[in-house]
Amino acid sequence: MNRCYESPKPEPSRSPIYSVRAVPVEKVEANSYNPNVVAPPEMRLLELSIWEDGYTMPCVCYYDAARDRYELVDGYHRYLVLRTSKRIYEREQGLLPVAVIDKPLSDRMASTIRHNRARGTHDVELMSEVVAELTRARMSDRWIRQHLGMDRDELLRLKQITGIAALFADKEFSLGDVDEEPAGTAAEAPRRP
């Protein structure tokens, strides 16, 4: 693991895992949009796993150079174990293994959701807030569905949870999926005489 804090950026064709950094946990911050929730028994199991096996996966972060801080994209609970377990903090010398991605906020939010969904469950209310935030950031329904791995019905349900009026304010009413074909591009039905 690279113990310098300013390790070189990975080449665009290489995955961030090849440039893992050892970062002081005090420089790492949680993001405000992670809908993943872990119950206390699983947190105890995670702490035991890290104690017995060590960190086997780095956390994924975005590096904010202006603030010299790392914002978590994935790995909040592994980060939390290092912050709360004295024995692990001491063994790891307060250093958290981090792989850095350099993406805009909307893409980081999508990355967080993809990581969570690939592993299991997440909090529906927090997930609906992520959808609302991406909608406010003017991401299309198609972009949200594609990047978060959801179908139309799931996206609609999540939008309804946060308040359908605000999230549909800039949309025209349609019974179909407005992202699939813009109006006027489908073949028109023949007219009756």
Side-chain angles (χ1 to χ4, degrees):
M1 179 165 38
N2 198 343
R3 285 200 170 263
C4 69
Y5 308 129
E6 299 299 323
S7 64
K9 284 187 175 183
E11 299 168 29
S13 61
R14 290 189 55 160
S15 295
I17 191 74
Y18 297 110
S19 298
V20 174
R21 306 174 187 187
V23 174
V25 72
E26 294 78 17
K27 287 189 171 201
V28 179
E29 300 173 343
N31 65 47
S32 61
Y33 52 82
N34 188 354
N36 193 15
V37 178
V38 175
E42 283 77 15
M43 280 301 295
R44 287 190 295 274
L45 184 59
L46 178 60
E47 195 271 350
L48 177 62
S49 174
I50 292 171
W51 177 250
E52 293 292 329
D53 303 323
Y55 278 92
T56 58
M57 293 176 28
C59 294
V60 179
C61 291
Y62 167 77
Y63 179 63
D64 182 348
R67 296 176 49 242
D68 191 28
R69 292 288 180 265
Y70 293 81
E71 180 184 277
L72 283 163
V73 174
D74 181 63
Y76 171 74
H77 296 98
R78 283 170 273 150
Y79 152 82
L80 192 59
V81 165
L82 186 61
R83 295 216 42 132
T84 60
S85 173
K86 184 177 179 181
R87 66 183 183 166
I88 292 175
Y89 183 91
E90 288 174 358
R91 184 189 67 200
E92 301 296 324
Q93 299 174 349
L95 298 173
L96 185 69
V98 168
V100 176
I101 61 172
D102 187 16
K103 294 182 173 187
L105 179 59
S106 296
D107 288 321
R108 295 195 311 263
M109 292 173 85
S111 293
T112 295
I113 302 308
R114 283 193 302 267
H115 279 91
N116 290 346
R117 291 174 69 98
R119 273 194 304 269
T121 61
H122 52 269
D123 184 281
V124 173
E125 186 176 322
L126 291 173
M127 182 70 170
S128 64
E129 287 301 321
V130 168
V131 167
E133 182 63 32
L134 290 172
T135 301
R136 284 189 289 273
R138 300 198 162 276
M139 297 299 163
S140 70
D141 286 355
R142 175 175 284 181
W143 189 97
I144 293 170
R145 287 194 335 262
Q146 179 183 355
H147 287 85
L148 302 189
M150 55 179 67
D151 61 33
R152 288 174 37 197
D153 292 336
E154 182 180 13
L155 178 59
L156 176 61
R157 284 191 306 272
L158 291 170
K159 282 186 170 188
Q160 289 171 333
I161 289 169
T162 58
I164 196 165
L167 296 181
F168 287 97
D170 295 336
K171 303 277 185 189
E172 286 186 35
F173 175 75
S174 170
L175 294 176
D177 186 350
V178 295
D179 286 339
E180 287 180 2
E181 264 186 22
T185 60
E188 292 187 26
R191 298 178 192 227
R192 292 188 163 189

